[in-house]
Amino acid sequence: MGKCLRYVTANTDTEEQSFPVPKAFNTHVEELNLDALIQMADNLRVNEGKKVESFELLCDHKEKFRDEIEFIWRFARAYGDMYELSTNTQEKKHYANIGKTLGEKAIMRAPKNGYCHLWYAVLCGYVSEFEGLQNKINCGYRFKEHLDKAIEFLPEEPFLYYLKGRYCYSVSKLSWIERKMAATLFGSIPSSTVQEALQNFLKVEELQPGFSKSNYMFMAKCYADLNQIDNAVKFCNLAMLLPCITKEDEDAQKEVKKISTSLKR
């Protein structure tokens, strides 16, 4: 991942002033057509250890395909991957902001493409991590708006219901002051319940059983909150059976252990 973070600023138009281009790239770019590039980038990304390589591949072809919708949303997604992989705060902020800009470009050009809405929503969520409460709430509204649009266009995509479940769960835990701030700024109070969150996580499991360790963890968390202890234990156990591959898996594993400990008290 090292060389990917030692970027220089590309000569691009004003829309993407800070496009990072890793050093040693563009010395020789294999000529790929769009379909071949997309397939290669998608195949690389399936392997957690090759997400950086997928990002680099897209970087190498950005000039050629920068106006192609199928390229743009994947490039936004790749910036989201780099955000997740980076451990440096400034780098994470950098990747999140550029990815969000790409996401905006994608939804403006293809307002009926669910993947454009999906990754714009995700990048809004990443950007919100660096914002104050007012902008964080604003990002939250945009996240929900575009997530709902993505679900409208991609009703069978389990990842969308996982994200909506997480959104519902976090909203159900908002403090009074956060709700009051949202009402003051936007005239409405975001509301949801643990039960609504659970329904989304159950929808994920219905569409793709064993979707992720994190989905099982959130199901366990919801059941614990609802005092359905047997179900909470069941999904803790199912979560523990899945391997730890990503950082999200590792975080979920730690959380599952905490939930299991609390259930035994």
Side-chain angles (χ1 to χ4, degrees):
M1 184 170 164
K3 73 171 181 177
C4 202
L5 301 182
R6 296 195 296 274
Y7 50 76
V8 294
T9 302
N11 293 319
T12 60
D13 56 30
T14 54
E15 186 182 57
E16 293 149 11
Q17 284 288 335
S18 55
F19 250 161
V21 177
K23 288 182 180 178
F25 283 15
N26 301 322
T27 53
H28 171 69
V29 177
E30 181 185 354
E31 286 298 320
L32 297 172
N33 64 36
L34 182 60
D35 288 344
L37 173 67
I38 285 171
Q39 184 174 0
M40 189 179 294
D42 287 352
N43 288 344
L44 285 169
R45 189 177 177 272
V46 170
N47 185 327
E48 184 71 13
K50 292 190 175 181
K51 284 185 175 180
V52 172
E53 193 175 336
S54 180
F55 170 73
E56 292 173 347
L57 181 67
L58 294 173
C59 279
D60 277 343
H61 289 81
K62 74 180 182 66
E63 295 298 338
K64 185 176 181 180
F65 298 118
R66 64 189 304 139
D67 293 323
E68 299 285 348
I69 288 299
E70 291 300 312
F71 178 86
I72 298 170
W73 72 254
R74 282 176 172 83
F75 209 11
R77 179 183 69 180
Y79 273 97
D81 291 341
M82 296 305 294
Y83 167 91
E84 287 283 1
L85 291 168
S86 178
T87 56
N88 178 281
T89 300
Q90 283 306 112
E91 285 168 358
K92 288 178 87 72
K93 186 174 182 180
H94 176 83
Y95 288 127
N97 282 325
I98 295 178
K100 179 172 170 287
T101 298
L102 282 166
E104 288 170 350
K105 179 178 177 179
I107 59 173
M108 286 175 61
R109 296 193 180 192
K112 293 187 177 181
N113 185 310
Y115 291 105
C116 295
H117 288 287
L118 161 58
W119 293 105
Y120 177 63
V122 170
L123 269 299
C124 282
Y126 290 159
V127 168
S128 74
E129 294 299 313
F130 306 101
E131 301 288 350
L133 183 58
Q134 179 173 339
N135 286 339
K136 194 181 287 286
I137 291 170
N138 188 26
C139 284
Y141 274 98
R142 276 185 288 170
F143 176 89
K144 176 63 163 49
E145 175 191 354
H146 290 281
L147 186 61
D148 284 345
K149 286 182 179 178
I151 289 173
E152 177 185 343
F153 297 122
L154 300 167
E156 300 300 310
E157 173 55 60
F159 183 48
L160 291 169
Y161 298 97
Y162 169 70
L163 291 175
K164 188 165 184 179
R166 290 193 62 161
Y167 171 84
C168 292
Y169 191 83
S170 63
V171 167
S172 76
K173 302 297 182 181
L174 286 177
S175 67
W176 176 85
I177 190 66
E178 288 168 329
R179 292 179 191 277
K180 186 71 173 176
M181 176 72 81
T184 301
L185 292 171
F186 301 102
S188 63
I189 300 175
S191 64
S192 190
T193 63
V194 172
Q195 187 64 48
E196 187 178 357
L198 177 60
Q199 290 308 309
N200 281 284
F201 296 129
L202 286 168
K203 179 69 173 179
V204 175
E205 181 66 6
E206 174 191 326
L207 290 170
Q208 186 177 329
F211 175 77
S212 72
K213 187 181 284 283
S214 289
N215 196 62
Y216 281 151
M217 178 272 288
F218 274 106
M219 291 173 77
K221 194 185 280 275
C222 289
Y223 279 123
D225 288 352
L226 295 168
N227 204 33
Q228 296 183 32
I229 306 305
D230 288 347
N231 279 328
V233 170
K234 172 186 172 181
F235 285 103
C236 277
N237 291 338
L238 285 171
M240 295 295 284
L241 290 174
L242 292 180
C244 274
I245 298 170
T246 66
K247 184 180 182 300
E248 183 179 44
D249 292 337
E250 293 171 1
D251 292 341
Q253 182 95 342
K254 292 174 186 175
E255 191 64 27
V256 167
K257 289 178 180 176
K258 289 180 184 176
I259 298 168
S260 296
T261 301
S262 69
L263 293 174
K264 292 173 183 175
R265 289 174 182 167

